[in-house]
Amino acid sequence: MSTVGNSTNIFWQESPIGKTERQKLLNQKGCVVWITGLSGSGKSTLACSLSRELNNRGKLSYILDGDNLRHGLNKDLGFKAEDRVENIRRVGEVAKLFADAGLICIASLISPYRKDRDACREMIQNSSFIEASYSKPGFTVCNPHSVGS
């Protein structure tokens, strides 16, 4: 038994199908591509282009767009510092699940605090986390790794 929050009866349920089996089925390794940048910098456009190219190469991806997530999962959050921290934490947790499922998860959102991105990198295996800081007209890959290999 573990303690999560105030509950004392929450258990982690292991899946009978492991990450390796899912990756073999999809013929790809799950990972997170974290695209960060200022509002209007083109993060979503880059995410969509990357997703299209991966699809063209037979790779399964999913975009977690910051604005889209604020319509649902994060609609209860504002833009104060503590809300931004929680926003990034939630996106990181979802991205972690997608990567574990074998998908190439493209997270595209304003994430201004390095410590929050580092926390996401820690919850996701470092080799499965690729960070790119995007601003017109170019971008910088902060943690280059082979995507989807």
Side-chain angles (χ1 to χ4, degrees):
M1 186 165 20
S2 70
T3 303
V4 178
N6 293 328
S7 297
T8 58
N9 60 347
I10 297 175
F11 301 90
W12 184 263
Q13 180 63 48
E14 291 294 331
S15 173
I17 301 167
K19 182 177 184 176
T20 304
E21 291 174 276
R22 292 187 292 271
Q23 290 178 347
K24 185 177 178 183
L25 176 70
L26 294 171
N27 194 30
Q28 67 183 40
K29 290 182 181 178
C31 67
V32 175
V33 178
W34 194 280
I35 303 171
T36 185
L38 297 174
S39 179
S41 65
K43 297 177 301 298
S44 296
T45 302
L46 176 61
C48 290
S49 294
L50 176 57
S51 184
R52 171 57 54 203
E53 182 58 29
L54 288 167
N55 183 271
N56 290 343
R57 294 177 182 210
K59 302 299 179 184
L60 184 59
S61 67
Y62 193 86
I63 299 170
L64 294 176
D65 182 82
D67 286 350
N68 292 353
L69 291 167
R70 284 191 176 269
H71 286 280
L73 179 67
N74 295 333
K75 69 180 175 182
D76 62 322
L77 299 175
F79 294 92
K80 295 181 286 185
E82 59 269 17
D83 287 343
R84 288 182 182 273
V85 170
E86 178 60 12
N87 180 55
I88 300 307
R89 187 196 69 78
R90 289 180 190 180
V91 175
E93 290 287 353
V94 173
K96 175 184 170 182
L97 293 172
F98 279 21
D100 184 64
L103 278 71
I104 299 168
C105 179
I106 305 166
S108 170
L109 62 159
I110 299 170
S111 44
Y113 306 120
R114 158 81 40 214
K115 65 180 172 116
D116 298 334
R117 296 191 310 272
D118 287 346
C120 290
R121 182 180 288 105
E122 286 179 26
M123 77 172 76
I124 299 160
Q125 292 179 355
N126 195 28
S127 64
S128 299
F129 188 94
I130 301 110
E131 181 180 338
S133 178
Y134 190 68
S135 62
K136 293 176 189 171
F139 72 98
T140 303
V141 175
C142 303
N143 185 9
H145 290 283
S146 178
V147 176
S149 60

